Amino acid sequence: MAISFPTPRRLGYRFNLVGIVSAFVVLAWALIAIFAAWLTPYGPGEVVDFDYFGPISSQFWLGSDYLGRDILSRIIIGTRYTVGISLAAVLIACFTGVVLGMTAAVIGGWFDTILSRFLDALTSIPSKLFGLVVVAGIGSSIPVLIGVLAVIYTPGAYRFARALSVNINTMEYVTVARARGERTLYLIRHEILPNITGPVLADMGLRFVFIVLLLSGLSFLGLGVQPPNSDWGSLVRENIGALSFGAPAVIMPSIAIATLTISVNLLIDNLPVKIRDRSE
Amino acid sequence: MNSQIRSLILARLGIAVITLIIVSFIVFAATEMLPGDIAQILLGQAATPEAVAGLREAMGLNDPAFLRFLRWMGGLLQGDLGKSYANNMQVADLIGGRLANTLQLAAVTALFSVPVALFLGITTAMYQGSIYDRAVNFMVIGVISVPEFMIATLAVLVFAVWLQWLPALSFANDVKSFWELLRAYAMPVITLSFVISAQMIRMTRAAVISTLGAPYVEMALLKGASRPRMVLRHALPNAVGPIVNAVALSLSYLLGGVIIVETVFNYPGIAKLMVDAVATRDLPLIQTCAMIFCLGYLILITLADIIAILSNPRLRK
Amino acid sequence: MSNLVEIRDLRIGARTDSGREVEIIKGVSLDVAQGEIVALIGESGSGKTTIALSLMGHARPGCYFAGGSVTVAGRNMTALRESERAKLRGTDVAYIPQSAAAAFNPAIRLIDQVIEVAKIHNLMPLAEARVKAVELFRALALPDPDTIGERYPHQVSGGQLQRLSAAMALIGGPKLVIFDEPTTALDVTTQIEVLRAFKSVMKAGGMGGVYVSHDLAVVAQIADRIVVLRGGEVQEEGTTAAILDNAQHPYTRDLLAAFHPVTHAAVALAESATPIPPALEVRGIFAGYGPIDADGLPLKQVLKDVSCKLEKGRNLGVIGESGCGKSTLARVIAGLVPPAKGQILLNGKEMAGDLKKRSKEELRRLQIVFQLADTALNPSTPIGEILGRPLTFYHGMKGATRDARVAELLDMVHLPKTMRHRLPSELSGGQKQRVNLARGLAANPEVILCDEITSALDAVVVAAVIELLKELQRELQLSYVFISHDLATVQAICDDVIVMNGGVNVETLPAADIMARAEHPYTRLLLASVPKLDPAWLDSLADDPAFERAGRSSLLAQV
């Protein structure tokens, strides 16, 4: 079930069906996050249903929550928090991690040793625990959440980028550039970076999934996004009382999380493959 | 044991100790970021400034942070975990029984999930690309991609709400028979097992598959070896290092998983204690719980690395 | 059926990433009689290993049998089920891999791997298999035959592993043995021992063999017949004597010609009133890795008191086996590995040992070109940018001036101008090595260090690269330091040669009459070990004084 897209350049790309479907789901969530304000049928804070934990109906497509608010509207607005916070955190984490990782690999020596030791120590604090401790310390707000999530996932990004860069660093073209007299900045920018971008982007996707899961977990514990705002994790927390009836209010936000994270994972496993035809 | 192995292991233990020191520093620093005056919070808004100043002095809060860090570390080393702010009990007493509960939960989960996960990981690698492999893989990605609380709620929905086999959110405090014990543990163990097995299956499979690409495995094929023999006799002994690492990492994931699971199922373990301590901002309790978790992680990872060193055939004499 | 092997119109296909099918073996037919050894000769990509593996009914992942038949001892390997093929592997047909170091499982004792065939196929009791294995070890002239099996693969040398892999192949008493370039990864002095061992056991066992190699001289020693392959097709076939003395096909002749390189005509030293300082001089270099001890020397010494001199316009060859320190010497000269002691002089002026302390001008005048063009060119950078960077870096060139110079450089190494838009992965091995060279030239250097630049290339391509190097030297007044393990290539381009062994420069000789002037026993051994096209060469070595066993072992003890 592979589809080949002929691209303007001579090289084609092969993108399989699973990859295409996941890409569509990810894209859809991105668009929902951007245009959330125009998509909600009701105000996310408005109490619109007389009943609480209402079932799926033509009026409320995904039912209503413990106060009688529309779940669909709350999920749509929640997308902004879940996707937005996670995206900001993953960008900061990967940028910091990759820059430090490449620098450590190229410079080596004590700089590398101390940085690696310190960041390794940071990874030995379980991520949820770290979030718990910091949020307990300084309280929860969106900038704090982004900062904590970024700090938690920087060591992983660093380790990954460093391992790749160390491999590239042993390549003879880096040695040639070094023998030419090139400075560290040039080596990082021109010799290392272009050769690690692919894997780094895939790693960023995986890290994004971890961050979404951790953010949802923190919100579920009541330590994430605080009321009146809510992301998908806090929606589950708010409506956990509906669990014993199996009402949509608790199931739908969970499904939202699952569709996003499963799609990103599947997309990374099924990225378009560049067709290398080496017949000649 | 030859000297090379011994020095490698000693170096690894040294690194573990250094890491533990850095970790304790980070934990201390993170909890010290708490805004507001602890003495003020403890005494409440009605307290006079003099009383607050007195308590600050008594608690040593006026000393520089580094001095307090050393004092705290010194206390930890002597087994003095400090007193809880919330109820003035010794932290050691609060933790004791709870820690045993959590360790029990972790042990039962590990005993159950490690063999299952290793079996699935190795067999999917053996029959890579088969329908069996793809089905397991699909489930693994599904489990990895969802938060633990979702697996927990799903378990409740299925086993308590629909099938009504097991008690829902409450954890039975008066366990009378083995059967009840089993029922009480079932839900948390199922949830945790799912979470850590998925990671373990994926990493074990990857480790075995990457070893299967080695030239000595092709050589085994050319000697007439069967597929199971290639995997079990030739690939597996060389994948011990990565597999042990995968097991340790997954088990360390238990530490994070229990935080959610103990909360959801109201299980009286150390993670639940810590989440409650966070709510009351009980610093000594939070610090101690955090150190216990980090120590657990470090022990697991260090052990895995030592096993990897011991299993490296190139270091054998 | 009289023949042991009958391959008829064999076609093997491969599927590319885009799902397109290509035929990599295009209708090959050949026979191997009982007890006969047939050599498959060809360069990389000629399909020789693919054919050899098809004799075991094995196609590497991505390849499949598209047609024809491979009959071994009366059974068509391509038509059998996988479980039936598995029964024949190790018992009827056995395989000796190119790199025994990779083909032995590092986690299992050698003896258990050697007798595994007996265990898998239930051929004999394990105790009997062990006895047989020890007999084979003895026949293969392995040291300590009774106990060597108890070791792990990392505890024995490369040459010993290669002989152990022969024992592993012979334990099941196969009718056919496949040798897949079994000596290519070995040094020449080790290669001889292994070849001798192979030849004696094959002669004694009366088995048939298929010997895959790219080296005609090696094959001449062991094969009865030679099949020349190119592009998945048979080019020529004949007895060893016929191919060597009376080759018909032009490609075979090219291969043979590569063995008789034109020896470089030494450039006479220019007579001048004022003495010209040497282009490059190295005096008393000590270098290595690890912590520095009290005498200022590193713990693990790679170079010990090495000195050499490269006169202007002449070429200096550095020759030696793996681990002799020749590549480290190049890195020390380039400033990549600062020496612990000693001086490096460029045009009579001393340079700092560490390249970070060298001036841009010093760096420009000395360029280094590496062995593997695959890893020497950044895969994500177009050729134009690879060549343009040194122009900007050393000469400050930009825009159209730079483009014009890039075009000139490409022209100099005989590549089309349009190539500057391509990525390295779109070039062939020879083309990459030309770009690699052009990048060195972009600096306008005076001295170029060539580190094994022809070692990864096919024999026919090597000749062209050597020709190019000579041409550039005439035009640009360059001097080369040419590092290689291959005596023939060094002789083809160098005026002087230094021979290295164990980090020491054992002898400096004029390239032209190196054979006559060599005095040091190691040099003599090295020279005598280079295989010759004469089929009687290997057997004649027994009388060669350079190979007196005592002399050889004492030499190896020094290493």
Side-chain angles (χ1 to χ4, degrees):
Chain A
M1 272 195 296
I3 300 171
S4 295
F5 291 121
T7 47
R9 297 192 57 193
R10 273 180 309 116
L11 302 160
Y13 283 87
R14 191 173 44 158
F15 199 5
N16 66 29
L17 193 66
V18 179
I20 294 170
V21 172
S22 344
F24 269 115
V25 176
V26 173
L27 191 71
W29 279 123
L31 292 175
I32 290 174
I34 295 169
F35 300 107
W38 291 278
L39 295 173
T40 51
Y42 303 95
E46 257 179 275
V47 177
V48 287
D49 193 2
F50 299 114
D51 204 2
Y52 62 94
F53 294 146
I56 291 172
S57 64
S58 59
Q59 198 185 355
F60 307 109
W61 288 3
L62 299 181
S64 59
D65 77 349
Y66 72 112
L67 292 176
R69 294 174 292 193
D70 178 41
I71 285 288
L72 177 61
S73 307
R74 290 183 68 74
I75 288 181
I76 290 175
I77 291 293
T79 315
R80 279 207 165 160
Y81 294 100
T82 299
V83 175
I85 293 174
S86 306
L87 203 60
V90 82
L91 287 176
I92 296 173
C94 286
F95 179 79
T96 325
V98 169
V99 169
L100 289 178
M102 290 193 299
T103 316
V106 171
I107 294 182
W110 60 266
F111 179 82
D112 182 23
T113 313
I114 291 181
L115 196 63
S116 298
R117 207 39 58 245
F118 178 76
L119 290 175
D120 270 358
L122 210 55
T123 39
S124 62
I125 306 178
S127 55
K128 262 187 216 77
L129 186 113
F130 192 85
L132 220 63
V133 170
V134 174
V135 169
I138 32 187
S140 187
S141 66
I142 288 173
V144 168
L145 278 175
I146 293 177
V148 171
L149 292 171
V151 168
I152 291 174
Y153 285 99
T154 300
Y158 164 83
R159 226 180 198 201
F160 187 77
R162 181 180 169 278
L164 289 174
S165 310
V166 164
N167 281 342
I168 302 281
N169 199 33
T170 60
M171 292 286 168
E172 284 171 344
Y173 55 82
V174 183
T175 314
V176 168
R178 211 172 253 146
R180 194 191 301 141
E182 300 283 6
R183 313 244 158 227
T184 307
L185 194 65
Y186 176 88
L187 295 178
I188 290 174
R189 172 74 193 75
H190 292 273
E191 306 287 351
I192 309 264
L193 185 62
N195 295 303
I196 65 170
T197 24
V200 159
L201 286 178
D203 175 66
M204 196 158 119
L206 286 181
R207 231 157 274 286
F208 175 77
V209 170
F210 289 138
I211 290 181
V212 169
L213 295 181
L214 180 56
L215 173 67
S216 307
L218 286 176
S219 289
F220 178 78
L221 291 173
L223 298 163
V225 178
Q226 298 298 318
N229 301 325
S230 51
D231 67 338
W232 296 341
S234 13
L235 285 178
V236 177
R237 176 188 171 79
E238 286 171 4
N239 299 305
I240 195 74
L243 191 58
S244 39
F245 331 122
V250 67
I251 297 173
M252 289 307 162
S254 305
I255 291 180
I257 298 173
T259 52
L260 176 65
T261 50
I262 292 178
S263 302
V264 174
N265 264 335
L266 287 177
L267 177 60
I268 291 165
D269 280 358
N270 298 285
L271 281 177
V273 192
K274 200 178 197 175
I275 296 171
R276 295 176 307 257
D277 235 340
R278 294 213 274 162
S279 48
E280 63 272 31
Chain B
M1 196 189 291
N2 65 47
S3 63
Q4 200 185 355
I5 292 183
R6 196 163 46 226
S7 63
L8 277 171
I9 290 178
L10 284 177
R12 188 64 195 80
L13 289 174
I15 287 173
V17 171
I18 294 171
T19 311
L20 190 62
I21 294 171
I22 301 176
V23 164
S24 57
F25 189 75
I26 295 172
V27 167
F28 183 80
T31 45
E32 282 298 313
M33 285 191 293
L34 191 129
D37 191 333
I38 294 164
Q40 181 85 59
I41 293 167
L42 284 178
L43 292 175
Q45 290 302 320
T48 60
E50 290 76 26
V52 171
L55 186 64
R56 288 182 63 88
E57 189 64 42
M59 291 176 72
L61 290 177
N62 291 334
D63 296 335
F66 189 64
L67 201 67
R68 280 182 284 138
F69 172 67
L70 287 182
R71 202 183 293 143
W72 176 66
M73 279 292 284
L76 282 188
L77 287 178
Q78 290 164 18
D80 172 18
L81 306 179
K83 272 185 185 169
S84 159
Y85 288 170
N87 51 17
N88 225 19
M89 277 173 72
Q90 284 292 332
V91 170
D93 297 337
L94 282 171
I95 285 176
R98 296 286 196 113
L99 182 58
N101 282 348
T102 298
L103 287 178
Q104 245 169 29
L105 179 60
V108 174
T109 309
L111 279 177
F112 176 69
S113 55
V114 172
V116 173
L118 288 185
F119 177 80
L120 287 173
I122 292 165
T123 48
T124 47
M126 207 184 295
Y127 301 104
Q128 192 191 346
S130 65
I131 294 183
Y132 164 68
D133 176 36
R134 276 188 268 176
V136 172
N137 249 325
F138 189 76
M139 272 173 21
V140 162
I141 288 196
V143 173
I144 281 181
S145 307
V146 300
E148 301 96 339
F149 66 79
M150 214 175 121
I151 295 173
T153 47
L154 223 91
V156 170
L157 268 181
V158 174
F159 295 109
V161 180
W162 292 337
L163 298 172
Q164 305 207 326
W165 287 355
L166 298 165
L169 298 173
S170 63
F171 188 79
N173 276 327
D174 46 341
V175 178
K176 290 190 194 90
S177 65
F178 180 71
W179 174 241
E180 278 182 26
L181 182 84
L182 213 62
R183 277 168 57 93
Y185 271 112
M187 208 91 90
V189 168
I190 290 172
T191 308
L192 278 176
S193 299
F194 260 103
V195 172
I196 66 165
S197 302
Q199 297 273 8
M200 229 182 305
I201 294 170
R202 200 174 157 97
M203 288 157 87
T204 306
R205 179 177 177 274
V208 174
I209 284 179
S210 85
T211 323
L212 278 176
Y216 52 77
V217 178
E218 188 185 48
M219 189 65 222
L221 171 88
L222 294 177
K223 285 198 270 183
S226 61
R227 182 98 183 146
R229 188 179 176 88
M230 282 158 62
V231 172
L232 300 176
R233 173 84 174 131
H234 288 274
L236 214 50
N238 290 290
V240 168
I243 289 176
V244 171
N245 205 21
V247 172
L249 275 177
S250 308
L251 289 182
S252 77
Y253 204 75
L254 259 178
L255 303 173
V258 288
I259 295 181
I260 299 279
V261 168
E262 289 188 4
T263 311
V264 172
F265 296 106
N266 206 19
Y267 183 92
I270 191 169
K272 181 81 175 64
L273 182 70
M274 186 173 168
V275 173
D276 294 342
V278 167
T280 55
R281 293 197 161 175
D282 194 344
L283 276 191
L285 196 51
I286 297 177
Q287 284 169 341
T288 308
C289 292
M291 287 306 292
I292 290 176
F293 277 106
C294 296
L295 192 66
Y297 176 88
L298 266 177
I299 291 174
L300 279 173
I301 294 299
T302 309
L303 213 59
D305 282 356
I306 290 176
I307 294 177
I309 291 171
L310 290 175
S311 78
N312 183 349
R314 287 183 181 81
L315 293 175
R316 265 179 226 160
K317 275 271 150 69
Chain C
M1 196 171 289
S2 58
N3 283 328
L4 179 60
V5 173
E6 289 187 354
I7 298 181
R8 290 291 170 269
D9 193 32
L10 176 67
R11 292 171 189 278
I12 295 179
R15 210 165 279 121
T16 64
D17 286 347
S18 58
R20 213 161 55 80
E21 323 255 315
V22 256
E23 211 162 56
I24 50 176
I25 303 297
K26 300 163 187 160
V28 165
S29 300
L30 58 92
D31 295 327
V32 179
Q34 304 279 357
E36 184 189 36
I37 299 182
V38 172
L40 302 183
I41 278 276
E43 59 196 25
S44 49
S46 61
K48 54 192 193 299
T49 296
T50 312
I51 294 175
L53 288 174
S54 76
L55 291 167
M56 308 201 79
H58 180 53
R60 290 239 161 99
C63 301
Y64 58 93
F65 295 111
S69 64
V70 178
T71 312
V72 179
R75 307 189 66 171
N76 182 0
M77 297 301 279
T78 60
L80 292 177
R81 278 192 295 127
E82 184 64 20
S83 60
E84 288 170 321
R85 287 176 189 155
K87 275 183 208 146
L88 301 177
R89 290 176 188 150
T91 52
D92 275 18
V93 200
Y95 180 76
I96 298 177
Q98 171 167 11
S99 168
F104 272 101
N105 191 327
I108 304 176
R109 286 185 196 277
L110 290 164
I111 187 81
D112 293 329
Q113 301 195 55
V114 170
I115 64 169
E116 194 182 5
V117 166
K119 197 171 175 182
I120 291 172
H121 302 285
N122 264 325
L123 296 176
M124 58 188 105
L126 291 185
E128 195 187 321
R130 278 170 194 273
V131 173
K132 189 171 179 194
V134 171
E135 277 168 24
L136 282 168
F137 295 161
R138 199 163 279 129
L140 287 158
L142 280 160
D144 310 320
D146 294 309
T147 54
I148 194 167
E150 297 309 313
R151 301 193 208 165
Y152 284 98
H154 68 278
Q155 292 165 325
V156 300
S157 73
Q160 289 167 359
L161 271 181
Q162 208 65 53
R163 277 177 279 167
L164 284 161
S165 73
M168 186 158 78
L170 298 177
I171 192 102
K175 298 177 183 136
L176 176 70
V177 182
I178 296 162
F179 300 82
D180 188 1
E181 303 235 22
T183 63
T184 306
L186 303 176
D187 282 321
V188 279
T189 51
T190 321
Q191 172 170 272
I192 289 197
E193 310 257 306
V194 175
L195 275 179
R196 278 177 164 173
F198 284 174
K199 197 168 180 177
S200 72
V201 288
M202 290 301 286
K203 221 184 248 172
M207 291 158 277
V210 169
Y211 198 106
V212 172
S213 179
H214 68 282
D215 192 336
L216 262 175
V218 165
V219 154
Q221 310 308 317
I222 199 158
D224 302 311
R225 264 185 325 122
I226 295 178
V227 176
V228 181
L229 290 162
R230 190 184 201 185
E233 286 170 288
V234 174
Q235 306 293 326
E236 188 166 5
E237 189 181 344
T239 62
T240 303
I243 293 281
L244 294 185
D245 301 332
N246 193 19
Q248 300 300 315
H249 199 282
Y251 176 67
T252 318
R253 288 193 195 162
D254 278 353
L255 280 179
L256 287 165
F259 270 90
H260 307 289
V262 194
T263 313
H264 177 59
V267 179
L269 279 173
E271 295 288 331
S272 161
T274 51
I276 307 168
L280 179 75
E281 191 179 355
V282 168
R283 288 186 195 154
I285 291 282
F286 285 83
Y289 304 91
I292 306 290
D293 68 10
D295 304 332
L297 296 175
L299 186 69
K300 188 178 173 341
Q301 280 191 45
V302 183
L303 295 177
K304 295 164 208 157
D305 196 16
V306 173
S307 301
C308 58
K309 208 187 271 185
L310 169 66
E311 300 292 349
K312 268 210 173 85
R314 282 170 76 97
N315 301 327
L316 176 70
V318 180
I319 192 163
E321 294 184 292
S322 52
C324 73
K326 56 190 192 301
S327 275
T328 306
L329 179 61
R331 278 158 200 266
V332 168
I333 294 173
L336 291 161
V337 178
K341 264 190 198 168
Q343 294 167 301
I344 304 158
L345 295 88
L346 193 63
N347 282 328
K349 273 172 62 186
E350 190 178 346
M351 287 195 299
D354 187 348
L355 73 91
K356 288 191 192 107
K357 296 188 187 120
R358 291 184 187 174
S359 70
K360 208 179 232 191
E361 183 60 13
E362 284 170 337
L363 293 170
R364 180 190 68 74
R365 287 155 68 177
L366 178 78
Q367 291 288 309
I368 184 162
V369 179
F370 281 109
Q371 173 180 15
L372 296 170
D374 281 323
T375 59
L377 302 179
N378 187 337
S380 57
T381 313
I383 304 303
E385 179 55 32
I386 290 177
L387 297 181
R389 178 62 193 174
L391 296 175
T392 312
F393 186 79
Y394 291 122
H395 310 295
M397 283 188 195
K398 281 194 184 85
T401 344
R402 193 174 99 152
D403 289 347
R405 182 66 186 150
V406 167
E408 259 174 59
L409 285 167
L410 283 170
D411 191 49
M412 246 184 242
V413 294
H414 308 304
L415 289 175
K417 287 187 191 79
T418 48
M419 199 146 266
R420 68 170 187 266
H421 303 295
R422 300 251 198 115
L423 288 174
S425 59
E426 298 163 40
L427 271 57
S428 73
Q431 289 173 328
K432 279 183 214 170
Q433 201 52 287
R434 283 163 195 266
V435 172
N436 200 3
L437 200 59
R439 172 173 56 190
L441 297 175
N444 292 343
E446 289 156 20
V447 176
I448 297 187
L449 301 170
C450 302
D451 186 5
E452 299 261 13
I453 61 169
T454 56
S455 307
L457 301 175
D458 289 316
V460 179
V461 184
V462 169
V465 170
I466 297 280
E467 201 41 55
L468 174 66
L469 285 170
K470 286 185 185 172
E471 184 188 318
L472 292 169
Q473 175 159 43
R474 282 195 297 273
E475 288 167 15
L476 305 170
Q477 279 84 48
L478 294 166
S479 307
Y480 298 117
V481 176
F482 199 89
I483 291 160
S484 181
H485 67 279
D486 182 24
L487 182 69
T489 19
V490 168
Q491 277 186 303
I493 190 155
C494 294
D495 305 286
D496 303 295
V497 176
I498 67 171
V499 181
M500 290 191 64
N501 184 30
V504 179
N505 170 6
V506 295
E507 208 166 3
T508 306
L509 297 159
D513 45 349
I514 186 165
M515 293 289 179
R517 303 271 290 273
E519 280 175 6
H520 194 278
Y522 176 76
T523 315
R524 305 259 293 269
L525 172 72
L526 188 67
L527 296 178
S529 302
V530 179
K532 307 216 166 34
L533 276 178
D534 173 13
W537 166 77
L538 188 65
D539 298 325
S540 71
L541 284 179
D543 317 324
D544 195 313
F547 278 90
E548 247 174 82
R549 277 207 85 84
R552 178 176 160 75
S553 17
S554 69
L555 265 168
L556 288 179
Q558 287 172 20
V559 179

